[in-house]
Amino acid sequence: MTAKIIDGKEFAANVRAQVATHVVRLKEEHGITPGLAVILVGEDPASEVYVRNKGKQTVEVGMHSVEHKLDADTTEEALLALIDQLNTDPAIHGILCQLPLPKHLNEELVINSIVPEKDVDGFHISNVGMLSTGQKSMVPCTPLGCLMMLRDHHGSLSGLNAVVVGRSNIVGKPMANLLLRDSCTVTIAHSRTKNIEELCRGADIVVAAVGRPEMITGDWIGKGATVIDVGINRIPHPEKEGKHKLVGDVHFASASQVAGAITPVPGGVGPMTIACLLANTVTACCRINGLAEPEGLTA
Ligand code: NDP
């Protein structure tokens, strides 16, 4: 069997096109332009690339984009004051503080100081609580992207057995909650899990969010299962000396021989993350203004 490749690039382009349509509607019918503010503290090169891409794509879908670059030694007080100002700014509907933050800043405190309705990353404790109790919330972007692709591939997820490998707050746990909400039977596996290969083999859906290059091989995957590979790992290129390549947490060559459908790395989950950030900003804008939410862009 050779798996169907779930094309995240194409899927993300489609999500962005839907977002752009809603942005036009909000502007024309209500005179509102959704606005996203991204805060970057310090000069982490990877974070700078992410923030640049976020800003570029925000503008491409017609939204208002604001970037706040703060020095690495910014005080907590100054950062909280900026968040306070954005919390009450009527032109801003989404606020994202790029993680990780420099060590002297308390990440939990900073994230929880963003008002939950503008928390487009879905990391505020209120949003985490609402997601886990099945209430309407802002949903973390990467798991939301995975859910969209799974719903598109399967239609209904009800009754399917899903194994989520990884229990982080930003991917594993919210992913498990979303799948549970769609009535999957969910197992969360982690570094202490026994018989992990066997658990994965029995699953209709495997979501890999581990951060270990190509750990999940084809013999872990049940015939015809759907594999969503969240992992992004930079490894030395096997053929080009001094170069690197990106691989997922799944060994694509072997897993794609067994799976029914699989996301590649790169070009799978990765492009969906920013697309879902834009979708969340439009959703936040609609909710803040008491307008109907865009269908298909929320969980
Ligand atoms: P974390 O390091 O926060 O969590 C990794 C999880 O994997 C932990 O729960 C850990 O278990 C588990 N784990 C580690 N080793 C094993 C093992 N041998 N067997 C089973 N479980 C194991 O990572 P993140 O959730 O932040 O990210 C996971 C991956 O996804 C990374 O590659 C990251 O780069 C990528 N990522 C991609 C995004 C995208 O946009 N596509 C966005 C975010 C992340 P334990 O809790 O027991 O330690």
PDB file of all heavy atoms in Angstrom, residues 142 165-168 170-171 190-191 196 209-212 215 230-233 249 269-270 273, ligand 1:
ATOM      1  N   THR A 142      -1.425  24.690  15.983  1.00  0.00           N
ATOM      2  CA  THR A 142      -0.927  23.449  15.367  1.00  0.00           C
ATOM      3  C   THR A 142      -1.948  22.301  15.497  1.00  0.00           C
ATOM      4  O   THR A 142      -2.287  21.668  14.486  1.00  0.00           O
ATOM      5  CB  THR A 142       0.448  23.066  15.964  1.00  0.00           C
ATOM      6  OG1 THR A 142       1.350  24.165  15.726  1.00  0.00           O
ATOM      7  CG2 THR A 142       1.008  21.812  15.341  1.00  0.00           C
ATOM      8  N   VAL A 165       1.108  10.778  20.251  1.00  0.00           N
ATOM      9  CA  VAL A 165       2.393  10.528  20.900  1.00  0.00           C
ATOM     10  C   VAL A 165       3.017  11.882  21.250  1.00  0.00           C
ATOM     11  O   VAL A 165       3.359  12.658  20.363  1.00  0.00           O
ATOM     12  CB  VAL A 165       3.347   9.701  19.997  1.00  0.00           C
ATOM     13  CG1 VAL A 165       4.571   9.262  20.808  1.00  0.00           C
ATOM     14  CG2 VAL A 165       2.636   8.489  19.409  1.00  0.00           C
ATOM     15  N   GLY A 166       3.093  12.166  22.543  1.00  0.00           N
ATOM     16  CA  GLY A 166       3.551  13.475  23.041  1.00  0.00           C
ATOM     17  C   GLY A 166       2.454  14.092  23.883  1.00  0.00           C
ATOM     18  O   GLY A 166       1.273  14.005  23.535  1.00  0.00           O
ATOM     19  N   ARG A 167       2.851  14.712  25.010  1.00  0.00           N
ATOM     20  CA  ARG A 167       1.853  15.281  25.927  1.00  0.00           C
ATOM     21  C   ARG A 167       2.195  16.724  26.286  1.00  0.00           C
ATOM     22  O   ARG A 167       2.005  17.161  27.429  1.00  0.00           O
ATOM     23  CB  ARG A 167       1.744  14.431  27.189  1.00  0.00           C
ATOM     24  CG  ARG A 167       3.061  14.245  27.912  1.00  0.00           C
ATOM     25  CD  ARG A 167       2.900  13.546  29.237  1.00  0.00           C
ATOM     26  NE  ARG A 167       4.179  13.044  29.725  1.00  0.00           N
ATOM     27  CZ  ARG A 167       4.345  12.434  30.881  1.00  0.00           C
ATOM     28  NH1 ARG A 167       3.319  12.223  31.672  1.00  0.00           N
ATOM     29  NH2 ARG A 167       5.536  11.998  31.249  1.00  0.00           N
ATOM     30  N   SER A 168       2.757  17.471  25.320  1.00  0.00           N
ATOM     31  CA  SER A 168       3.093  18.871  25.628  1.00  0.00           C
ATOM     32  C   SER A 168       1.815  19.702  25.688  1.00  0.00           C
ATOM     33  O   SER A 168       0.765  19.318  25.159  1.00  0.00           O
ATOM     34  CB  SER A 168       4.027  19.442  24.557  1.00  0.00           C
ATOM     35  OG  SER A 168       3.320  19.681  23.366  1.00  0.00           O
ATOM     36  N   ILE A 170       1.423  22.522  24.232  1.00  0.00           N
ATOM     37  CA  ILE A 170       1.126  23.242  22.986  1.00  0.00           C
ATOM     38  C   ILE A 170       0.651  22.328  21.854  1.00  0.00           C
ATOM     39  O   ILE A 170      -0.019  22.772  20.952  1.00  0.00           O
ATOM     40  CB  ILE A 170       2.314  24.119  22.515  1.00  0.00           C
ATOM     41  CG1 ILE A 170       3.537  23.275  22.196  1.00  0.00           C
ATOM     42  CG2 ILE A 170       2.662  25.187  23.519  1.00  0.00           C
ATOM     43  CD1 ILE A 170       4.599  24.081  21.430  1.00  0.00           C
ATOM     44  N   VAL A 171       1.002  21.040  21.916  1.00  0.00           N
ATOM     45  CA  VAL A 171       0.547  20.138  20.851  1.00  0.00           C
ATOM     46  C   VAL A 171      -0.219  18.924  21.414  1.00  0.00           C
ATOM     47  O   VAL A 171      -1.419  18.767  21.167  1.00  0.00           O
ATOM     48  CB  VAL A 171       1.709  19.633  19.956  1.00  0.00           C
ATOM     49  CG1 VAL A 171       1.144  18.879  18.751  1.00  0.00           C
ATOM     50  CG2 VAL A 171       2.608  20.761  19.475  1.00  0.00           C
ATOM     51  N   HIS A 190       3.599   8.839  25.861  1.00  0.00           N
ATOM     52  CA  HIS A 190       4.720   9.745  26.179  1.00  0.00           C
ATOM     53  C   HIS A 190       5.951   8.907  26.486  1.00  0.00           C
ATOM     54  O   HIS A 190       5.952   7.691  26.240  1.00  0.00           O
ATOM     55  CB  HIS A 190       4.324  10.669  27.336  1.00  0.00           C
ATOM     56  CG  HIS A 190       3.672   9.964  28.457  1.00  0.00           C
ATOM     57  ND1 HIS A 190       4.394   9.230  29.373  1.00  0.00           N
ATOM     58  CD2 HIS A 190       2.361   9.803  28.775  1.00  0.00           C
ATOM     59  CE1 HIS A 190       3.556   8.689  30.229  1.00  0.00           C
ATOM     60  NE2 HIS A 190       2.312   9.010  29.880  1.00  0.00           N
ATOM     61  N   SER A 191       6.966   9.545  27.056  1.00  0.00           N
ATOM     62  CA  SER A 191       8.253   8.849  27.203  1.00  0.00           C
ATOM     63  C   SER A 191       8.199   7.673  28.176  1.00  0.00           C
ATOM     64  O   SER A 191       9.075   6.822  28.168  1.00  0.00           O
ATOM     65  CB  SER A 191       9.341   9.836  27.629  1.00  0.00           C
ATOM     66  OG  SER A 191       9.061  10.321  28.914  1.00  0.00           O
ATOM     67  N   ILE A 196       4.387   1.089  23.424  1.00  0.00           N
ATOM     68  CA  ILE A 196       3.953   2.214  22.597  1.00  0.00           C
ATOM     69  C   ILE A 196       3.759   1.801  21.127  1.00  0.00           C
ATOM     70  O   ILE A 196       2.811   2.238  20.463  1.00  0.00           O
ATOM     71  CB  ILE A 196       4.939   3.401  22.756  1.00  0.00           C
ATOM     72  CG1 ILE A 196       4.387   4.667  22.130  1.00  0.00           C
ATOM     73  CG2 ILE A 196       6.307   3.097  22.227  1.00  0.00           C
ATOM     74  CD1 ILE A 196       5.144   5.925  22.547  1.00  0.00           C
ATOM     75  N   ALA A 209       3.959  13.893  17.921  1.00  0.00           N
ATOM     76  CA  ALA A 209       4.461  15.217  18.363  1.00  0.00           C
ATOM     77  C   ALA A 209       5.483  14.972  19.462  1.00  0.00           C
ATOM     78  O   ALA A 209       5.231  15.195  20.642  1.00  0.00           O
ATOM     79  CB  ALA A 209       3.314  16.084  18.856  1.00  0.00           C
ATOM     80  N   VAL A 210       6.632  14.465  19.042  1.00  0.00           N
ATOM     81  CA  VAL A 210       7.627  13.961  19.979  1.00  0.00           C
ATOM     82  C   VAL A 210       8.905  14.799  19.972  1.00  0.00           C
ATOM     83  O   VAL A 210       9.526  15.045  21.009  1.00  0.00           O
ATOM     84  CB  VAL A 210       8.003  12.493  19.613  1.00  0.00           C
ATOM     85  CG1 VAL A 210       8.853  11.876  20.712  1.00  0.00           C
ATOM     86  CG2 VAL A 210       6.772  11.653  19.370  1.00  0.00           C
ATOM     87  N   GLY A 211       9.337  15.203  18.777  1.00  0.00           N
ATOM     88  CA  GLY A 211      10.612  15.912  18.660  1.00  0.00           C
ATOM     89  C   GLY A 211      11.797  14.960  18.574  1.00  0.00           C
ATOM     90  O   GLY A 211      12.901  15.313  18.950  1.00  0.00           O
ATOM     91  N   ARG A 212      11.551  13.724  18.075  1.00  0.00           N
ATOM     92  CA  ARG A 212      12.649  12.760  17.871  1.00  0.00           C
ATOM     93  C   ARG A 212      12.624  12.313  16.409  1.00  0.00           C
ATOM     94  O   ARG A 212      11.647  11.690  15.965  1.00  0.00           O
ATOM     95  CB  ARG A 212      12.479  11.541  18.780  1.00  0.00           C
ATOM     96  CG  ARG A 212      12.535  11.927  20.226  1.00  0.00           C
ATOM     97  CD  ARG A 212      12.888  10.775  21.122  1.00  0.00           C
ATOM     98  NE  ARG A 212      12.900  11.235  22.502  1.00  0.00           N
ATOM     99  CZ  ARG A 212      13.977  11.681  23.133  1.00  0.00           C
ATOM    100  NH1 ARG A 212      15.123  11.696  22.526  1.00  0.00           N
ATOM    101  NH2 ARG A 212      13.899  12.093  24.379  1.00  0.00           N
ATOM    102  N   MET A 215      11.354   8.673  14.620  1.00  0.00           N
ATOM    103  CA  MET A 215      11.227   7.635  15.660  1.00  0.00           C
ATOM    104  C   MET A 215      10.155   6.589  15.310  1.00  0.00           C
ATOM    105  O   MET A 215      10.314   5.397  15.573  1.00  0.00           O
ATOM    106  CB  MET A 215      10.869   8.300  16.996  1.00  0.00           C
ATOM    107  CG  MET A 215      10.782   7.338  18.164  1.00  0.00           C
ATOM    108  SD  MET A 215      10.262   8.154  19.686  1.00  0.00           S
ATOM    109  CE  MET A 215       8.489   7.951  19.597  1.00  0.00           C
ATOM    110  N   VAL A 230       3.680  15.857  13.289  1.00  0.00           N
ATOM    111  CA  VAL A 230       3.858  17.251  13.719  1.00  0.00           C
ATOM    112  C   VAL A 230       5.343  17.620  13.815  1.00  0.00           C
ATOM    113  O   VAL A 230       5.715  18.777  13.704  1.00  0.00           O
ATOM    114  CB  VAL A 230       3.158  17.485  15.085  1.00  0.00           C
ATOM    115  CG1 VAL A 230       3.301  18.935  15.534  1.00  0.00           C
ATOM    116  CG2 VAL A 230       1.677  17.117  15.013  1.00  0.00           C
ATOM    117  N   GLY A 231       6.172  16.625  13.996  1.00  0.00           N
ATOM    118  CA  GLY A 231       7.593  16.856  14.276  1.00  0.00           C
ATOM    119  C   GLY A 231       8.315  17.664  13.207  1.00  0.00           C
ATOM    120  O   GLY A 231       8.055  17.522  12.010  1.00  0.00           O
ATOM    121  N   ILE A 232       9.195  18.539  13.660  1.00  0.00           N
ATOM    122  CA  ILE A 232      10.105  19.258  12.749  1.00  0.00           C
ATOM    123  C   ILE A 232      11.499  19.106  13.345  1.00  0.00           C
ATOM    124  O   ILE A 232      11.792  19.687  14.396  1.00  0.00           O
ATOM    125  CB  ILE A 232       9.753  20.755  12.641  1.00  0.00           C
ATOM    126  CG1 ILE A 232       8.312  20.959  12.161  1.00  0.00           C
ATOM    127  CG2 ILE A 232      10.729  21.460  11.694  1.00  0.00           C
ATOM    128  CD1 ILE A 232       7.882  22.421  12.070  1.00  0.00           C
ATOM    129  N   ASN A 233      12.324  18.285  12.719  1.00  0.00           N
ATOM    130  CA  ASN A 233      13.679  18.043  13.236  1.00  0.00           C
ATOM    131  C   ASN A 233      14.696  18.326  12.146  1.00  0.00           C
ATOM    132  O   ASN A 233      14.539  17.871  11.009  1.00  0.00           O
ATOM    133  CB  ASN A 233      13.809  16.567  13.666  1.00  0.00           C
ATOM    134  CG  ASN A 233      12.698  16.137  14.610  1.00  0.00           C
ATOM    135  OD1 ASN A 233      12.674  16.536  15.753  1.00  0.00           O
ATOM    136  ND2 ASN A 233      11.763  15.321  14.125  1.00  0.00           N
ATOM    137  N   ASP A 249       8.819  13.309  12.951  1.00  0.00           N
ATOM    138  CA  ASP A 249       8.977  12.301  14.003  1.00  0.00           C
ATOM    139  C   ASP A 249       8.653  10.911  13.451  1.00  0.00           C
ATOM    140  O   ASP A 249       8.812   9.906  14.137  1.00  0.00           O
ATOM    141  CB  ASP A 249       8.034  12.610  15.174  1.00  0.00           C
ATOM    142  CG  ASP A 249       8.445  13.878  15.905  1.00  0.00           C
ATOM    143  OD1 ASP A 249       9.622  14.265  15.802  1.00  0.00           O
ATOM    144  OD2 ASP A 249       7.579  14.482  16.569  1.00  0.00           O
ATOM    145  N   VAL A 269       2.028  19.438   8.326  1.00  0.00           N
ATOM    146  CA  VAL A 269       1.434  20.220   9.419  1.00  0.00           C
ATOM    147  C   VAL A 269       2.007  21.648   9.472  1.00  0.00           C
ATOM    148  O   VAL A 269       1.282  22.601   9.745  1.00  0.00           O
ATOM    149  CB  VAL A 269       1.677  19.507  10.779  1.00  0.00           C
ATOM    150  CG1 VAL A 269       1.179  20.354  11.937  1.00  0.00           C
ATOM    151  CG2 VAL A 269       1.015  18.135  10.775  1.00  0.00           C
ATOM    152  N   GLY A 270       3.314  21.786   9.184  1.00  0.00           N
ATOM    153  CA  GLY A 270       4.000  23.081   9.317  1.00  0.00           C
ATOM    154  C   GLY A 270       3.237  24.250   8.709  1.00  0.00           C
ATOM    155  O   GLY A 270       2.924  25.218   9.424  1.00  0.00           O
ATOM    156  N   THR A 273       0.099  25.730  10.551  1.00  0.00           N
ATOM    157  CA  THR A 273       0.143  26.440  11.832  1.00  0.00           C
ATOM    158  C   THR A 273      -0.128  27.939  11.644  1.00  0.00           C
ATOM    159  O   THR A 273      -0.979  28.513  12.335  1.00  0.00           O
ATOM    160  CB  THR A 273       1.485  26.171  12.541  1.00  0.00           C
ATOM    161  OG1 THR A 273       1.550  24.764  12.785  1.00  0.00           O
ATOM    162  CG2 THR A 273       1.588  26.902  13.869  1.00  0.00           C
TER     163      THR A 273
HETATM  164  P1  NDP B   1       7.949  18.735  23.687  1.00  0.00           P
HETATM  165  O1  NDP B   1       9.411  18.460  23.779  1.00  0.00           O
HETATM  166  O2  NDP B   1       7.343  19.789  24.536  1.00  0.00           O
HETATM  167  O3  NDP B   1       7.159  17.363  23.997  1.00  0.00           O
HETATM  168  C1  NDP B   1       7.597  16.155  23.456  1.00  0.00           C
HETATM  169  C2  NDP B   1       6.734  15.030  23.974  1.00  0.00           C
HETATM  170  O4  NDP B   1       7.219  13.825  23.398  1.00  0.00           O
HETATM  171  C3  NDP B   1       6.779  14.865  25.503  1.00  0.00           C
HETATM  172  O5  NDP B   1       5.490  14.681  25.991  1.00  0.00           O
HETATM  173  C4  NDP B   1       7.636  13.623  25.706  1.00  0.00           C
HETATM  174  O6  NDP B   1       7.243  12.812  26.783  1.00  0.00           O
HETATM  175  C5  NDP B   1       7.369  12.848  24.423  1.00  0.00           C
HETATM  176  N1  NDP B   1       8.490  11.965  24.126  1.00  0.00           N
HETATM  177  C6  NDP B   1       9.809  12.268  24.084  1.00  0.00           C
HETATM  178  N2  NDP B   1      10.529  11.168  23.807  1.00  0.00           N
HETATM  179  C7  NDP B   1       9.651  10.142  23.650  1.00  0.00           C
HETATM  180  C8  NDP B   1       9.783   8.779  23.357  1.00  0.00           C
HETATM  181  N3  NDP B   1      10.971   8.204  23.148  1.00  0.00           N
HETATM  182  N4  NDP B   1       8.664   8.035  23.280  1.00  0.00           N
HETATM  183  C9  NDP B   1       7.456   8.604  23.488  1.00  0.00           C
HETATM  184  N5  NDP B   1       7.264   9.895  23.766  1.00  0.00           N
HETATM  185  C10 NDP B   1       8.349  10.664  23.852  1.00  0.00           C
HETATM  186  O7  NDP B   1       7.655  18.972  22.144  1.00  0.00           O
HETATM  187  P2  NDP B   1       6.461  19.767  21.400  1.00  0.00           P
HETATM  188  O8  NDP B   1       5.161  19.133  21.692  1.00  0.00           O
HETATM  189  O9  NDP B   1       6.636  21.209  21.619  1.00  0.00           O
HETATM  190  O10 NDP B   1       6.872  19.482  19.881  1.00  0.00           O
HETATM  191  C11 NDP B   1       6.916  18.175  19.347  1.00  0.00           C
HETATM  192  C12 NDP B   1       7.448  18.237  17.935  1.00  0.00           C
HETATM  193  O11 NDP B   1       6.571  19.001  17.139  1.00  0.00           O
HETATM  194  C13 NDP B   1       8.817  18.904  17.791  1.00  0.00           C
HETATM  195  O12 NDP B   1       9.521  18.270  16.747  1.00  0.00           O
HETATM  196  C14 NDP B   1       8.478  20.324  17.390  1.00  0.00           C
HETATM  197  O13 NDP B   1       9.518  20.939  16.630  1.00  0.00           O
HETATM  198  C15 NDP B   1       7.270  20.083  16.533  1.00  0.00           C
HETATM  199  N6  NDP B   1       6.361  21.217  16.450  1.00  0.00           N
HETATM  200  C16 NDP B   1       5.900  21.541  15.203  1.00  0.00           C
HETATM  201  C17 NDP B   1       5.015  22.569  15.043  1.00  0.00           C
HETATM  202  C18 NDP B   1       4.498  22.861  13.662  1.00  0.00           C
HETATM  203  O14 NDP B   1       4.094  23.965  13.388  1.00  0.00           O
HETATM  204  N7  NDP B   1       4.468  21.873  12.777  1.00  0.00           N
HETATM  205  C19 NDP B   1       4.559  23.394  16.167  1.00  0.00           C
HETATM  206  C20 NDP B   1       5.016  22.912  17.450  1.00  0.00           C
HETATM  207  C21 NDP B   1       5.893  21.872  17.564  1.00  0.00           C
HETATM  208  P3  NDP B   1       7.414  13.271  28.328  1.00  0.00           P
HETATM  209  O15 NDP B   1       6.327  14.267  28.559  1.00  0.00           O
HETATM  210  O16 NDP B   1       7.215  12.009  29.071  1.00  0.00           O
HETATM  211  O17 NDP B   1       8.775  13.849  28.448  1.00  0.00           O
END
